[in-house]
Amino acid sequence: LPPLVTSVIASACLLADLVVVPVTPSAIDVPPTEETLRLIRTARASQRGGRPKALLVPNKVDPRGGYDEATRAAVMGLGERWGPSLHFSLDFVNAFAAGGWVGGHAPDSQAAAEIEALVLRLEKVLGLAPPPEGSQAGAPPASGVAPAG
Protein backbone atom coordinates (compact mmCIF):
# COMPACT_ATOMS: atom_id res chain seq x y z
CA LEU A 1 0.00 0.00 0.00
CA PRO A 2 1.22 3.56 -0.63
CA PRO A 3 2.69 5.23 2.50
CA LEU A 4 -0.03 7.89 2.69
CA VAL A 5 -2.79 5.30 2.47
CA THR A 6 -1.05 3.10 5.02
CA SER A 7 -0.90 5.87 7.62
CA VAL A 8 -4.56 6.78 7.05
CA ILE A 9 -5.67 3.16 7.40
CA ALA A 10 -3.50 2.70 10.51
CA SER A 11 -5.04 5.81 12.10
CA ALA A 12 -8.56 4.69 11.23
CA CYS A 13 -7.87 1.27 12.76
CA LEU A 14 -6.97 2.91 16.07
CA LEU A 15 -10.39 4.60 16.16
CA ALA A 16 -12.57 1.83 14.76
CA ASP A 17 -14.63 -0.75 16.58
CA LEU A 18 -14.87 -2.82 13.40
CA VAL A 19 -13.06 -2.72 10.07
CA VAL A 20 -14.88 -4.25 7.11
CA VAL A 21 -12.36 -5.48 4.56
CA PRO A 22 -13.71 -6.23 1.09
CA VAL A 23 -11.96 -9.22 -0.48
CA THR A 24 -12.27 -10.17 -4.12
CA PRO A 25 -11.76 -13.88 -4.82
CA SER A 26 -8.43 -13.30 -6.52
CA ALA A 27 -4.94 -14.33 -5.45
CA ILE A 28 -3.67 -10.97 -6.73
CA ASP A 29 -5.65 -9.18 -3.98
CA VAL A 30 -4.27 -11.31 -1.13
CA PRO A 31 -1.02 -9.33 -0.50
CA PRO A 32 -2.72 -5.91 -0.09
CA THR A 33 -5.42 -7.54 2.04
CA GLU A 34 -2.72 -9.12 4.21
CA GLU A 35 -1.15 -5.66 4.63
CA THR A 36 -4.49 -4.20 5.69
CA LEU A 37 -4.95 -7.04 8.17
CA ARG A 38 -1.43 -6.41 9.52
CA LEU A 39 -2.43 -2.80 10.25
CA ILE A 40 -5.63 -3.98 11.95
CA ARG A 41 -3.72 -6.48 14.08
CA THR A 42 -1.11 -3.88 15.01
CA ALA A 43 -3.87 -1.52 16.16
CA ARG A 44 -5.54 -4.38 18.03
CA ALA A 45 -2.31 -5.26 19.82
CA SER A 46 -1.76 -1.66 20.92
CA GLN A 47 -5.08 -1.24 22.72
CA ARG A 48 -7.27 -3.03 25.20
CA GLY A 49 -10.50 -4.77 24.42
CA GLY A 50 -9.54 -6.51 21.17
CA ARG A 51 -10.41 -3.51 18.99
CA PRO A 52 -10.77 -3.23 16.15
CA LYS A 53 -12.58 -6.34 15.14
CA ALA A 54 -12.26 -7.28 11.48
CA LEU A 55 -14.74 -8.78 9.06
CA LEU A 56 -13.62 -10.02 5.66
CA VAL A 57 -16.40 -9.62 3.09
CA PRO A 58 -15.99 -11.47 -0.20
CA ASN A 59 -17.29 -9.20 -2.95
CA LYS A 60 -17.76 -9.33 -6.70
CA VAL A 61 -17.96 -13.10 -6.29
CA ASP A 62 -18.82 -14.83 -9.55
CA PRO A 63 -21.97 -16.85 -8.85
CA ARG A 64 -20.70 -19.54 -11.21
CA GLY A 65 -17.71 -20.15 -8.91
CA GLY A 66 -14.94 -22.12 -10.54
CA TYR A 67 -12.02 -20.69 -8.56
CA ASP A 68 -8.84 -22.75 -8.62
CA GLU A 69 -7.55 -24.37 -5.43
CA ALA A 70 -4.54 -22.02 -5.12
CA THR A 71 -6.80 -18.97 -5.15
CA ARG A 72 -9.21 -20.56 -2.69
CA ALA A 73 -6.34 -21.47 -0.32
CA ALA A 74 -4.74 -18.01 -0.55
CA VAL A 75 -8.00 -16.21 0.21
CA MET A 76 -9.08 -18.62 2.97
CA GLY A 77 -5.67 -18.31 4.67
CA LEU A 78 -6.24 -14.66 5.60
CA GLY A 79 -7.17 -15.64 9.14
CA GLU A 80 -10.02 -13.36 10.26
CA ARG A 81 -13.75 -13.87 10.58
CA TRP A 82 -15.77 -13.86 7.38
CA GLY A 83 -18.99 -12.11 6.50
CA PRO A 84 -21.48 -13.24 3.90
CA SER A 85 -20.46 -13.01 0.25
CA LEU A 86 -21.65 -10.28 -2.08
CA HIS A 87 -21.96 -11.79 -5.55
CA PHE A 88 -21.46 -9.82 -8.72
CA SER A 89 -24.87 -8.52 -9.74
CA LEU A 90 -26.08 -5.91 -12.18
CA ASP A 91 -28.55 -4.88 -9.46
CA PHE A 92 -25.59 -3.34 -7.56
CA VAL A 93 -24.35 -1.62 -10.71
CA ASN A 94 -27.77 -0.24 -11.64
CA ALA A 95 -28.56 0.93 -8.11
CA PHE A 96 -25.25 2.80 -7.92
CA ALA A 97 -25.83 4.36 -11.34
CA ALA A 98 -29.25 5.54 -10.17
CA GLY A 99 -27.72 7.05 -7.02
CA GLY A 100 -29.43 4.68 -4.63
CA TRP A 101 -28.84 1.50 -2.69
CA VAL A 102 -29.74 -1.90 -4.00
CA GLY A 103 -32.53 -2.44 -1.44
CA GLY A 104 -34.36 0.60 -2.75
CA HIS A 105 -33.59 -0.14 -6.38
CA ALA A 106 -34.29 -3.89 -6.40
CA PRO A 107 -35.72 -4.75 -2.97
CA ASP A 108 -36.61 -8.35 -3.82
CA SER A 109 -33.27 -9.15 -5.46
CA GLN A 110 -30.59 -11.55 -4.31
CA ALA A 111 -28.25 -8.53 -4.10
CA ALA A 112 -30.55 -6.81 -1.59
CA ALA A 113 -30.81 -10.02 0.43
CA GLU A 114 -27.01 -10.24 0.52
CA ILE A 115 -26.73 -6.68 1.87
CA GLU A 116 -29.36 -7.43 4.51
CA ALA A 117 -27.40 -10.55 5.52
CA LEU A 118 -24.24 -8.44 5.77
CA VAL A 119 -26.01 -5.87 7.96
CA LEU A 120 -27.23 -8.62 10.29
CA ARG A 121 -23.70 -10.01 10.51
CA LEU A 122 -22.25 -6.55 11.28
CA GLU A 123 -24.84 -6.01 14.00
CA LYS A 124 -24.01 -9.40 15.49
CA VAL A 125 -20.24 -8.78 15.46
CA LEU A 126 -20.75 -5.37 17.08
CA GLY A 127 -23.25 -6.73 19.61
CA LEU A 128 -26.06 -4.48 18.40
CA ALA A 129 -29.71 -5.45 18.58
CA PRO A 130 -31.29 -5.85 15.15
CA PRO A 131 -34.11 -3.44 14.26
CA PRO A 132 -37.71 -4.61 14.70
CA GLU A 133 -38.98 -6.83 11.89
CA GLY A 134 -40.29 -4.84 8.91
CA SER A 135 -39.07 -1.44 10.12
CA GLN A 136 -36.52 -0.96 7.34
CA ALA A 137 -38.54 -1.55 4.18
CA GLY A 138 -36.94 0.45 1.37
CA ALA A 139 -34.56 2.29 3.73
CA PRO A 140 -30.78 2.04 3.84
CA PRO A 141 -29.42 -0.65 6.18
CA ALA A 142 -29.98 0.12 9.88
CA SER A 143 -26.30 0.25 10.72
CA GLY A 144 -25.65 3.09 8.29
CA VAL A 145 -23.32 0.90 6.25
CA ALA A 146 -23.08 2.25 2.73
CA PRO A 147 -23.02 -0.84 0.50
CA ALA A 148 -20.50 -0.87 -2.30
CA GLY A 149 -21.13 -2.79 -5.47
Side-chain angles (χ1 to χ4, degrees):
L1 298 173
L4 179 61
V5 172
T6 300
S7 64
V8 170
I9 292 173
S11 296
C13 288
L14 289 170
L15 299 172
D17 291 323
L18 172 66
V19 179
V20 177
V21 182
V23 180
T24 59
S26 167
I28 199 166
D29 288 336
V30 170
T33 302
E34 288 174 328
E35 176 63 14
T36 300
L37 293 175
R38 184 188 67 75
L39 295 171
I40 292 168
R41 291 173 184 140
T42 299
R44 191 181 292 153
S46 72
Q47 5 187 38
R48 296 180 189 186
R51 291 185 38 232
K53 296 176 182 177
L55 187 69
L56 301 172
V57 178
N59 72 9
K60 297 182 184 174
V61 176
D62 185 336
R64 298 169 294 174
Y67 300 105
D68 64 84
E69 193 54 40
T71 297
R72 189 179 324 279
V75 170
M76 294 308 294
L78 291 171
E80 289 286 343
R81 70 178 56 114
W82 289 87
S85 294
L86 301 178
H87 292 84
F88 176 80
S89 170
L90 288 177
D91 289 323
F92 286 121
V93 175
N94 293 334
F96 182 82
W101 79 286
V102 73
H105 177 76
D108 296 325
S109 67
Q110 180 63 34
E114 290 173 358
I115 292 297
E116 292 294 338
L118 176 59
V119 169
L120 290 175
R121 177 68 177 181
L122 292 170
E123 290 172 339
K124 182 178 180 180
V125 169
L126 289 170
L128 302 174
E133 180 94 17
S135 66
Q136 297 300 310
S143 66
V145 174

